[in-house]
Amino acid sequence: MTDPKAIQPSELDQLPDRDPEETAEWQASLDAVTKAAGPHRAAYLMRRTLERAEGAGIALPKLLETDYVNSIPTADEPAVDGDEALEQRITAWNRWNAAAMVTRGSKHGVGGHIATFASAAWLYETGFNHFFKGKEGDGSGDQLYIQGHASPGIYARAFLDGRLGEEQLDNFRREAGGNGLPSYPHPRRLPWLWEFPTVSMGLGPISAIYQARFNRYLTSRGIKDLTNSHVWAFLGDGEMDEPESTTALTLASREGLDNLTFVINCNLQRLDGPVRANFKIVQELEAQFRGAGWNVVKSLWGTAWDELFQLDTDGALVRRLREVPDAQVQTYQTRDAAYIREDFFGKDPQLAEMAKLLSDDKILECFHYSRGGHESRKVYAAYRAALAHKGAPTVILAQTVKGHTLGTGFASKNANHQMKKLSVDEFKDMRDLLGLPIKDSDFVDGVVPYGHPGADSPEVRYLQERRAALGGPAPARRVHPVAPLPAPAEKAFTSFDKGSGSQNVATTMAFVRLVKDLVRDKETGKRWVPIVPDEARTFGMESLFPSLGIYSPKGQTYEPVDRDQLMYYKEAENGQILNEGITEAGSMADFIAASTSYATHGETMIPFYIFYSMFGWQRTADQMWQLGDQLGRGFLVGATAGRTTLTGEGLQHADGHSPAIAATNPASLTYDPAFAYEVAAIVKDGLRRMYGEAAPGEDPNVFYYLTVYNEPMPQPAKPSAAGVDEGIVKGLYRFNTAESAGLAPAANAPRIQLLGSGTAIHWALKAQKLLAEEWGVSADVWSATSWTELRRDAMEADAALLRGEERIPYVRQALQGAEGPVLAVSDYMRQVPDQIAQWVEQDWSSLGADGFGLSDTREAARRHFGVDAESIVVAALAQLAGRGEVKATAVKEARERYGL
């Protein structure tokens, strides 16, 4: 068998050489120039020669492309290490059951996709039989990013090896009964099978890149040796149009991620038609990946084409293949031999002569069926070449036919992505094509049967033996039992309880200081993964550079310009910080890989990702849903939060809505802390719930979203009243009363409750003073650390009531007996505090920063949005006036006094 390390893919081997002596002379000339004048001169001459050829109209591949042929010549293909006949039968059963499952489900109207797996079956089967390492062997196994629309084929294989039964297949896309299968790969819905949710197109590719990179990170830091783990990402050629699909290609090549392989199923079709109707998507992708520094392996044509290439003595066939657009290739798939003779071969006299030597059956075999992605030998060779290549990631461009083996009604039809079922007659044709022992009588009442050769059949034994040799079932998700992480020393959290005295401290800085203390913890410090998208200095994190180091596989090959400074820029091979440059999408992919390491690798990591809050939920919310789907754990920190706190930056940086978006994600625990001690209490609770001992009924598979501010303010001491810690975590506690604030109210003075979150509590405290001193109104101030958690608790109480259980929402308990109306204020749109309005028994009103942001000072912005202290006073007086507790004229007087 050919040594895979010796495979040197070269499309030139597919082309005829009519004058080897002349070729040798050209090569000798190049060698002579290289020896005499050096490689740069040789490269210069080659480039100028190629430019001259292009200018003369000579048809040559572009510099980043090769001809439209296989990278690995047939003669260099290694023999498949296995029983190809058995693998053929296994694949046939899986094709059948995938189609049957979707067709049977169509009677319920739940949909499904048939054509994608039909095109990609051998891409998966070859990997499962020979390459994909499972999790029951040494290490973590391989990580598989399965193309979402191919999920029926994966379920069919799990059925064949006994991991799923017929009842579960019949409940495809019907999960409400508790024994169903999710439409697509989804760890939260089927956590023993799926590791990675991939159907949101574009997220699989970028996640796979950063997963491969995170594997290297864990190895370099000595957390776990993952040198034997490989990341495989299965993608569609249409999916590669998504920006996330290609945004991190250069990262993968720059860091030499040869533990990563992309397998792109080039069936030339997207959801509604051809991917590149007038062009060639394979050539485009090849140029893109080569330009980004990847190793490219093309597997385009099956063995039936070997005879045609041998007849191509002058390269006419290769030239014709290069010029035919994809949509026409798709048309050939659906037309007869006469059409192909005329349209493909008839365009060139030499090809017309070649066609005379070919039978109609041979032409149809080549153009209808024979593709590199449909033959185990071709796919096997490509996978072996990918694993043998070192120093760069590999992309395999495998050409297939969408709807392959499903019959002429499916193959290459523009509508096949929306076609959800086959007729009985189409199934019988498919049965005959695949050679399956299914009788006509097995179709009872027109229902297509599932097929299974038997638990002790040669097919099943072979499948299970191959998987056992490779380390167990795949795909599979395993959460290995690990001891809860010990709680860090209490001192790290209590250091904020005394406040900051006369020093102004932003909550962003409080969070960074807390993390600095936590990463020093002897037990858990190494588990922290700080992630930042090139804004570390904005958030005051540069002090972490020299102590933790910034991860780089090359270490630091230069002398940093600030080497003589205390907080110099330090990169290291074992660096702890992931400083990603200007890429929120890449940073989120980092976070997802780190936050799920407890399952992927059995290693608990504690990631925190700090970012401009405006560029989180607004820009990368799809990945935050992916994070929740993948059961990730960690801390997302939206810094420079709020619509009015980021002075001068204006509309595109002003976040007035991230808590509203975050509230839509069930896995996100969203907090808007006002004070440093609140930040500490929330992080402490997060470490307990996600990494320590979760309380009964608590789901540890959540992540915390904290908004923190860059506005330096005095940090007060933590109130000594009972229940403060509980209130911080649950979302609301009373910070002070008019009396405890030293604002002695008159007897029977009107009273109002001011609820503030985040930086808004400082305006509420100023308003509390103005109300007392200028209007004779007593106000109590409450810190609402989480409007969203208050709402969720209240909704759970409502659900309990429907079950006949009596539960009082926490927000109602907290405010019970509080006198007067409630006025809530935040630096976000009013929708954020209004989440809890229906569960507040007191009269409710709110203020918020609705609308677009603007550039100005903080004070001017707050006056513009009507959320500053004076605006709060006017709103409070208006609320009290409506209840008849202050004179109506007070409202007009206040507006005029404050210039509103």
Side-chain angles (χ1 to χ4, degrees), residues 791 798 812 834-841 844:
R791 175 180 176 81
D798 287 353
R812 188 170 295 169
D834 283 348
Q835 291 180 87
I836 66 171
Q838 72 182 82
W839 292 280
V840 173
E841 294 181 318
W844 174 271

Side-chain angles (χ1 to χ4, degrees), residues 581-604:
I582 305 176
T583 169
E584 283 79 16
S587 299
M588 269 305 302
D590 263 338
F591 187 88
I592 292 169
S595 69
T596 55
S597 180
Y598 72 93
T600 308
H601 298 306
E603 293 288 345
T604 301

Side-chain angles (χ1 to χ4, degrees), residues 7 87 115 181 207 215 344 352 484 560 677 684 690 697 734 742 755 770 796 830 837 867-868:
I7 295 175
E87 292 179 20
L181 301 177
S207 296
N215 291 357
F344 181 82
Y677 65 80
K684 179 182 177 182
M690 295 184 290
R734 181 155 45 197
L755 278 59
L770 291 174
E796 289 174 7
R830 289 176 62 179
V867 293
D868 60 352

Side-chain angles (χ1 to χ4, degrees), residues 434-452:
L434 297 176
L436 293 173
I438 297 173
K439 301 185 294 293
D440 286 355
S441 59
D442 293 334
F443 292 81
V444 180
D445 297 327
V447 177
V448 57
Y450 294 119
H452 200 291

Side-chain angles (χ1 to χ4, degrees), residues 96-112:
W96 176 273
N97 288 322
M101 175 175 56
V102 177
T103 297
R104 287 167 66 125
S106 67
K107 66 182 180 181
H108 302 290
V110 295

Side-chain angles (χ1 to χ4, degrees), residues 172-469:
F172 174 59
R173 292 195 169 196
R174 294 194 298 145
E175 301 177 77
N179 196 30
L181 301 177
S183 312
Y184 305 120
H186 206 307
R188 190 169 285 276
R189 302 304 307 167
L190 203 62
W192 61 268
L193 180 72
W194 298 120
E195 277 195 285
F196 308 109
T198 53
V199 82
S200 189
M201 292 191 181
L203 299 192
I206 190 172
S207 296
I209 290 173
Y210 280 88
Q211 181 67 58
R213 197 285 199 89
F214 190 73
N215 291 357
R216 291 282 175 84
Y217 170 89
L218 289 179
T219 301
S220 296
R221 290 196 54 217
I223 303 292
K224 186 173 186 177
D225 184 358
L226 296 170
T227 53
N228 291 324
S229 284
H230 200 83
V231 178
W232 301 83
F234 290 84
L235 319 167
D237 47 1
E239 181 179 6
M240 299 310 295
D241 283 346
E242 291 285 4
E244 294 88 353
S245 295
T246 56
T247 189
L249 296 185
T250 52
L251 168 72
S253 60
R254 184 170 66 246
E255 299 203 0
L257 298 181
D258 50 23
N259 60 337
L260 169 68
T261 297
F262 275 16
V263 181
I264 302 181
N265 178 18
C266 298
N267 57 35
L268 312 186
Q269 288 184 252
R270 50 190 178 199
L271 306 187
D272 289 325
V275 179
R276 292 291 183 271
N278 297 296
F279 307 93
K280 302 188 81 64
I281 185 60
V282 169
Q283 300 299 87
E284 179 181 319
L285 291 174
E286 179 184 26
Q288 192 168 20
F289 278 88
R290 285 193 190 278
W294 287 53
N295 175 46
V296 179
V297 177
K298 294 196 290 192
S299 183
L300 308 181
W301 307 112
T303 53
W305 284 84
D306 288 348
E307 180 183 343
L308 276 67
F309 286 122
Q310 290 169 4
L311 294 173
D312 186 28
T313 57
D314 61 1
L317 176 61
V318 172
R319 291 193 297 271
R320 181 69 177 133
L321 289 173
R322 187 193 309 148
E323 69 188 22
V324 176
D326 283 352
Q328 191 63 24
V329 173
Q330 184 179 346
T331 297
Y332 295 147
Q333 174 69 33
T334 64
R335 303 300 291 270
D336 59 20
Y339 178 87
I340 298 171
R341 284 183 187 276
E342 178 181 352
D343 192 85
F344 181 82
F345 293 98
K347 301 294 186 182
D348 185 292
Q350 293 164 314
L351 288 180
E353 290 299 313
M354 178 193 296
K356 293 177 182 178
L357 303 175
L358 304 174
S359 67
D360 285 355
D361 287 345
K362 181 66 176 181
I363 289 175
L364 293 179
E365 180 186 11
C366 289
F367 284 84
H368 284 193
Y369 307 109
S370 187
R371 299 291 187 273
H374 293 326
E375 296 187 13
S376 61
R377 294 180 65 87
K378 302 293 185 185
V379 177
Y380 184 89
Y383 287 4
R384 289 288 296 271
L387 293 180
H389 187 83
K390 300 303 177 185
T394 293
V395 59
I396 295 170
L397 303 175
Q399 186 162 275
T400 66
V401 175
K402 193 168 186 178
H404 184 59
T405 73
L406 297 180
T408 57
F410 266 83
S412 286
K413 294 298 177 67
N414 282 339
N416 60 20
H417 190 78
Q418 278 70 41
M419 297 164 69
K420 312 300 181 187
K421 59 185 178 180
L422 280 72
S423 67
V424 170
D425 287 341
E426 287 172 324
F427 267 109
K428 291 178 179 178
D429 290 341
M430 182 182 177
R431 170 201 62 190
D432 296 341
L433 176 65
L434 297 176
L436 293 173
I438 297 173
K439 301 185 294 293
D440 286 355
S441 59
D442 293 334
F443 292 81
V444 180
D445 297 327
V447 177
V448 57
Y450 294 119
H452 200 291
D456 196 40
S457 64
E459 293 95 328
V460 173
R461 289 201 308 271
Y462 179 86
L463 181 155
Q464 293 175 342
E465 288 168 2
R466 299 301 299 187
R467 289 311 316 157

